């Protein structure tokens, strides 16, 4: 059925068509820790065409056997022991090859074209797991080498640029080679099962639609909190920071899915049209607004899990006088009919007390309070560490009197569907690329609309010397975080 549906779509090939997956940056963390384990799982479950080939590309000099050994070592570490089988790996490794080249050198793409040979009917997927400053050159070199034919697709990892201007330049360069239907801008958060269940929750259940609006919702919190520091990404992160690395893509994408209107149908263009409308409706945060509506922080030394961790400015490849933020909280408003007056609070940070990605919908209290007890009326959608949806309601305490307490209606997605293994987000998204389904990927205007809202905040921080506030590693963030909500009589969810 999927193959039949895909054949009806213009430019999309049925699943029986062979495919080459070429991974630029094939020796990097993303390829070894995420992409290859995801492709291994798809192979293990019979999701890949029997003639699909995987070619890793990087500057390092490796033989095919040496790269396969490197890939196996990382896959063994990433894949659950019960899911890794030596015979399955052996058959997967038959697909896997390596080609040493420099993505910045045009001549190397001529060598790559000879290696691949001519096969007019073969889909080629170019996955750019590289630094964004190589995106434009790679696209141009692919075109010059005759490798960007109508069957070719390109996958771009975030961030797409570091500003609106740079994002437009990258999109223009990519668009000069690949038409928009063949460009897949990936955000792995959109591949998470719970994120897609958010759409099912909203648009397949009559219970929520009447109350999913300003008249019934007090505010929304979207949190992506990490206990890890920058690890080995210091050189990249020190030039990006939490606003560019997380808010501009992951958190704004989650906001769009919470806030968007129901698309007229469930396909790529209809879904992305609605997301763009939300991004265009975001109220700008300009100039001195950054002082009232944003909190910027940077972690200092502290303890995580009982272990001492260094301050951000002592991390590897980070400047000792770095002014880069590792924490951001923002009060966002959507200027449209459904959400006027409802604040959305976004927060993300590294080296925090707990790892959690979640969306909290706080409904308004009942208009007249009859009973004693706390307040509930919350919907919590948790993306990690576990995937679950919890609706908190008020119920009577057993015994005499009408004393109420919050109780939870809890849907654990892993238990509900009795799955032995949950799909990783990259598995789902890679399969979508192979099948040509761009529903869960960002469109060009979507990326640029997000940057158009983010750029003035970055400029406001710079113009008004909004330096990051220090917070100890292992805490909940800067002290100023609480004031963002408390001044309006609200508080962050625990």
């Amino acid at each position: 059925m999927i193959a039949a549906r895909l054949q009806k779509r213009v430019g999309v090939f049925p699943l029986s068509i062979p495919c080459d997956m070429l991974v630029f940056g094939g020796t990097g963390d993303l390829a070894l820790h995420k992409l290859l384990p995801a492709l291994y799982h798809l192979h293990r479950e019979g999701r890949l065409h029997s003639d699909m080939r995987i070619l890793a590309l990087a500057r390092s000099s490796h033989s095919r056997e040496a790269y396969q050994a490197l890939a196996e070592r990382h896959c063994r570490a990433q894949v659950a022991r019960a899911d890794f089988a030596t015979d399955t790996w052996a058959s997967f490794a038959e697909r896997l090859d390596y080609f040493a080249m420099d993505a910045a050198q045009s001549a190397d793409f001529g060598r790559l074209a000879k290696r691949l040979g001519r096969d007019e009917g073969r889909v080629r997927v170019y996955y750019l797991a590289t630094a964004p400053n190589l995106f434009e050159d790679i696209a141009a070199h692919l075109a010059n080498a005759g490798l960007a034919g109508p069957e070719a697709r390109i996958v771009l990892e975030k961030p797409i640029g570091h500003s609106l201007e740079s994002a437009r330049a990258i999109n223009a360069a990519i668009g000069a080679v690949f038409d928009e239907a063949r460009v897949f801008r990936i955000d792995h958060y959109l591949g998470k099962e719970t994120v897609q269940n958010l759409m099912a929750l909203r648009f397949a259940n009559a219970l929520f639609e009447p109350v999913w609006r300003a008249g019934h919702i007090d505010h929304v919190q979207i949190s992506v909190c990490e206990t890890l520091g920058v690890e080995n990404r210091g050189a990249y992160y020190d030039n990006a920071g939490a606003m560019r690395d997380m808010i501009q893509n992951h958190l704004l994408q989650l906001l769009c899915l919470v806030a968007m209107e129901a698309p007229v149908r469930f396909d790529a263009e209809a879904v992305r049209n609605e997301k763009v409308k939300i991004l265009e409706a975001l109220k700008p945060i300009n100039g001195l607004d950054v002082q009232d509506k944003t909190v910027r922080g940077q972690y200092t030394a502290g303890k995580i899990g009982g272990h001492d961790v260094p301050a951000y400015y002592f991390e590897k490849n980070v400047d000792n006088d770095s002014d880069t933020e590792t924490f951001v909280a923002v009060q966002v408003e959507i200027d449209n009919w459904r959400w006027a007056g409802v604040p959305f609070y976004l927060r993300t940070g590294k080296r925090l007390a707990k790892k959690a990605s979640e969306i909290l919908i706080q409904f308004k209290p009942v208009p007249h309070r009859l009973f004693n007890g706390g307040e509930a009326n919350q919907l919590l959608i948790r993306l990690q560490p576990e995937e679950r949806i919890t609706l908190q309601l008020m119920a009577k305490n057993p015994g005499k009197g009408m004393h109420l307490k919050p109780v939870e209606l809890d849907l654990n997605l892993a238990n509900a569907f009795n799955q032995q293994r949950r799909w990783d987000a990259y598995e789902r998204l890679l399969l979508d690329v192979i099948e040509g389904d761009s529903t869960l990927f960002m469109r060009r205007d979507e990326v640029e609309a997000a940057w158009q809202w983010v750029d003035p905040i970055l400029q406001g921080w710079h113009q008004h010397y909004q330096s990051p506030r220090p917070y100890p590693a292992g805490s909940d963030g800067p002290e100023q975080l609480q004031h963002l909500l408390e001044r309006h009589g609200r508080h962050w969810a625990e």
Side-chain angles (χ1 to χ4, degrees), residues 267-466:
D267 66 20
E269 293 312 301
V271 170
R272 296 190 292 185
N273 286 343
E274 297 304 329
K275 289 199 290 177
V276 170
K277 290 177 186 177
I278 293 298
L279 292 170
E280 291 176 342
L282 297 181
K283 273 191 176 181
I285 299 177
N286 297 313
L288 289 172
D289 288 344
V290 298
Q291 297 180 0
D292 295 327
K293 295 187 176 181
T294 74
V295 176
R296 191 173 183 233
Q298 185 186 97
Y299 64 81
T300 58
K303 285 185 179 291
I304 300 283
H307 301 287
D308 292 323
V309 296
Y312 171 74
Y313 44 78
F314 286 142
E315 296 278 18
K316 183 180 177 182
N317 295 324
V318 170
D319 288 341
N320 290 342
D321 59 350
S322 175
D323 197 39
T324 298
E325 76 281 356
T326 62
F327 179 97
V328 174
V330 190
Q331 178 183 325
V332 184
E333 296 172 72
I334 301 173
D335 201 7
N336 68 9
W337 185 273
R338 182 181 290 267
W339 296 111
V342 178
F344 285 67
Y345 297 99
L346 314 184
R347 64 171 167 174
T348 184
K350 292 188 173 295
R351 292 293 192 207
L352 297 177
K354 66 174 183 177
K355 176 181 179 178
S357 297
E358 55 193 35
I359 301 166
L360 177 78
I361 313 294
Q362 178 63 61
F363 293 97
K364 291 181 177 179
V366 294
H368 177 61
R369 191 166 175 174
L370 294 175
F371 312 113
N372 295 323
E375 290 290 344
N377 303 311
Q378 293 180 349
L379 177 66
L380 180 65
I381 301 161
R382 178 160 290 172
L383 313 179
Q384 61 181 23
E386 71 275 8
E387 295 183 328
R388 64 197 314 149
I389 299 172
T390 303
L391 180 62
Q392 195 178 74
L393 305 171
M394 298 302 295
K396 177 184 174 300
N397 246 328
K400 187 179 184 306
M402 286 295 291
H403 297 281
L404 307 188
K405 65 176 290 187
V407 296
E408 295 180 343
L409 300 178
D410 192 11
L411 170 62
N412 184 309
L413 293 172
N415 293 340
F417 295 98
N418 196 27
Q419 287 181 296
Q420 292 182 346
R421 187 186 69 82
R422 303 287 285 167
W423 274 42
D424 178 77
Y426 277 100
E427 294 173 48
R428 186 173 294 106
L429 295 174
L430 284 171
L431 195 58
D432 281 350
V433 174
I434 294 168
E435 294 178 353
D437 186 347
S438 55
T439 305
L440 298 177
F441 296 81
M442 292 178 288
R443 201 168 59 193
R444 175 176 179 165
D445 55 346
E446 204 175 333
V447 172
E448 294 176 8
W451 276 119
Q452 191 158 3
W453 182 78
V454 164
D455 268 3
I457 299 176
L458 296 169
Q459 292 162 10
W461 286 344
H462 177 72
Q463 292 167 359
H464 300 286
Y465 308 103
Q466 186 89 346

Side-chain angles (χ1 to χ4, degrees), residues 194-306:
T194 325
V195 173
Q196 293 173 69
N197 257 306
L198 175 58
M199 288 191 281
L201 184 79
R202 286 197 56 195
F203 303 133
N205 294 286
L207 173 66
F208 290 109
E209 171 55 28
V211 297
W212 208 268
R213 59 192 69 245
H216 298 278
I217 292 177
D218 179 78
H219 72 278
V220 177
Q221 298 179 26
I222 303 176
S223 304
V224 178
C225 304
E226 301 177 85
T227 55
L228 292 175
V230 295
E231 305 307 301
N232 58 354
R233 299 170 70 230
Y236 155 73
Y237 196 90
D238 206 37
N239 289 304
M243 177 61 80
R244 292 184 175 95
D245 187 53
M246 295 295 291
I247 297 286
Q248 188 273 336
N249 39 77
H250 295 331
L251 276 83
L252 284 184
Q253 285 293 310
L254 295 178
L255 180 148
C256 286
L257 293 178
V258 172
M260 73 184 200
E261 298 295 328
V264 294
R265 56 192 171 275
F266 188 66
D267 66 20
E269 293 312 301
V271 170
R272 296 190 292 185
N273 286 343
E274 297 304 329
K275 289 199 290 177
V276 170
K277 290 177 186 177
I278 293 298
L279 292 170
E280 291 176 342
L282 297 181
K283 273 191 176 181
I285 299 177
N286 297 313
L288 289 172
D289 288 344
V290 298
Q291 297 180 0
D292 295 327
K293 295 187 176 181
T294 74
V295 176
R296 191 173 183 233
Q298 185 186 97
Y299 64 81
T300 58
K303 285 185 179 291
I304 300 283

